[in-house]
Amino acid sequence: MEKEFEKLNEALTFIRSFYKEKPKVGVILGTGLGALVDEVEVELTISYQDIPHFSLSTVESHAGKLIFGKLSGQNVIVMQGRFHYYEGYLMKQIVFPVRVMKMLGIEYLFISNAAGALNPQYGLSELMVLEDHINLLPSNPLIGKNIPALGIRFPDMFEPYSSKLIQLADEIIQQNHNIEFHKGVYVSVSGPNLETRAEYRYLRTIGADAVGMSTVPEVIAAVHMNLPVFAVSVLTDLCQPENIKPITLEEVLAAAAEAEPKMAFLFKEMIKKLGFNL
Ligand code: HPA
């Protein structure tokens, strides 16, 4: 058996010895967006450090736990804390938990992230649902020997973000006029520095609406496994080259905290509806 697949199976076996349910949804929470966990009826929590072959999150704003429980009546697994390329992880380490969640049986992957707004129409603490992405990270999680048990060698990227899930999100905001979102293109960069003015101009020119340092590896791994993805960016800073200001992590976290309830509401309402086959 391929070595990476063996490792995935070891993590799976370990988790399966504690968790017997059939999970419906996997959720990855981004920087400053961990509060959704408070709304989960938690049944089991496992620290990343206890799971074979899981890496440890090095970013203070990310907790590093897998949470198993119920959200909106569905079995969910929530990753509180994710791995970023800028922390020094390999791509296969970044996507390891997504692969394990799929092997545990999740049918949908929900992702949130904090991102900078490149589109001048976007405002602070607003939401952008991802319709597409541009991968500017210097690597790809599928590089290396393919694992046929997970997916094919050359997965297409025709629909990286499930149009059915985006449609479901549209239906939810039509019924709840207190929230709204943009739809756009996310570009992933390595970080950890924020971009220069010239880079923001470049990212806008190549077609991106928001920029961040995560999400794309997990989405590529999910698409490889035929796992439908819904992803939302919370816009934590405005990256318009003509009037950008210096920003701090505290400001990013404050903007994320303001938007978090809207994102959490959207996720909860969507997950509720997943009971009825799309
Ligand atoms: N650039 C890259 N990543 C980010 C940003 C940004 O401006 N804001 C939040 N994450």
Side-chain angles (χ1 to χ4, degrees):
M1 209 187 325
E2 185 57 34
K3 192 128 195 356
E4 188 65 10
F5 194 52
E6 245 169 66
K7 290 184 181 175
L8 288 162
N9 271 307
E10 280 167 23
L12 177 70
T13 305
F14 175 83
I15 295 169
R16 269 286 169 232
S17 68
F18 298 98
Y19 181 70
K20 311 288 182 198
E21 305 283 325
K22 158 82 178 73
K24 185 97 179 168
V25 186
V27 183
I28 306 177
L29 298 175
T31 305
L33 300 169
L36 181 64
V37 171
D38 298 338
E39 313 206 23
V40 175
E41 290 166 51
V42 179
E43 288 157 359
L44 171 71
T45 301
I46 311 181
S47 292
Y48 291 166
Q49 64 197 39
D50 296 329
I51 306 173
H53 312 297
F54 258 59
S55 304
L56 296 185
S57 180
T58 65
V59 185
E60 278 173 30
S61 44
H62 287 258
K65 284 182 240 150
L66 261 195
I67 292 160
F68 302 82
K70 286 213 161 46
L71 184 63
S72 305
Q74 309 272 12
N75 288 328
V76 296
I77 308 176
V78 183
M79 275 181 71
Q80 199 178 23
R82 62 140 65 95
F83 305 111
H84 302 84
Y85 190 75
Y86 62 76
E87 293 174 88
Y89 296 113
L90 300 173
M91 284 288 173
K92 64 181 178 191
Q93 294 176 295
I94 296 171
V95 303
F96 194 89
V98 177
R99 288 176 161 165
V100 171
M101 290 195 292
K102 174 67 165 63
M103 290 163 76
L104 282 162
I106 62 166
E107 294 169 46
Y108 302 96
L109 180 65
F110 279 51
I111 301 178
S112 66
N113 62 52
L118 297 163
N119 186 324
Q121 313 276 319
Y122 293 0
L124 208 57
S125 296
E126 293 179 351
L127 305 181
M128 183 191 87
V129 167
L130 277 65
E131 279 188 319
D132 209 343
H133 71 226
I134 300 171
N135 183 19
L136 288 192
L137 288 167
S139 192
N140 183 304
L142 306 183
I143 288 176
K145 205 159 183 281
N146 185 44
I147 306 174
L150 298 182
I152 58 174
R153 171 76 293 189
F154 300 109
D156 76 55
M157 283 283 154
F158 175 71
E159 195 184 292
Y161 301 88
S162 159
S163 59
K164 282 188 182 157
L165 292 176
I166 296 173
Q167 199 185 327
L168 180 60
D170 278 334
E171 286 163 20
I172 284 159
I173 58 163
Q174 273 157 23
Q175 292 151 14
N176 296 279
H177 298 288
N178 48 341
I179 67 158
E180 52 188 11
F181 53 71
H182 305 285
K183 286 187 223 166
V185 176
Y186 175 92
V187 59
S188 59
V189 294
S190 77
N193 60 285
L194 299 183
E195 292 65 40
T196 65
R197 253 177 258 252
E199 286 165 342
Y200 284 139
R201 213 172 282 123
Y202 160 74
L203 295 172
R204 181 73 189 133
T205 303
I206 63 170
D209 297 295
V211 53
M213 304 173 193
S214 66
T215 301
V216 169
E218 292 105 319
V219 173
I220 292 172
V223 170
H224 181 231
M225 298 182 293
N226 259 324
L227 176 63
V229 178
F230 180 74
V232 175
S233 288
V234 165
L235 303 168
T236 54
D237 52 296
L238 302 180
C239 311
Q240 283 119 35
E242 311 328 319
N243 49 33
I244 52 167
K245 311 188 289 304
I247 57 154
T248 61
L249 178 63
E250 287 66 37
E251 287 170 296
V252 167
L253 294 179
E258 192 185 324
E260 152 114 44
K262 293 184 283 187
M263 182 222 88
F265 177 82
L266 184 61
F267 275 21
K268 280 186 298 184
E269 289 301 305
M270 289 179 71
I271 290 171
K272 201 184 287 174
K273 297 254 162 65
L274 293 177
F276 313 93
N277 281 331
L278 291 178

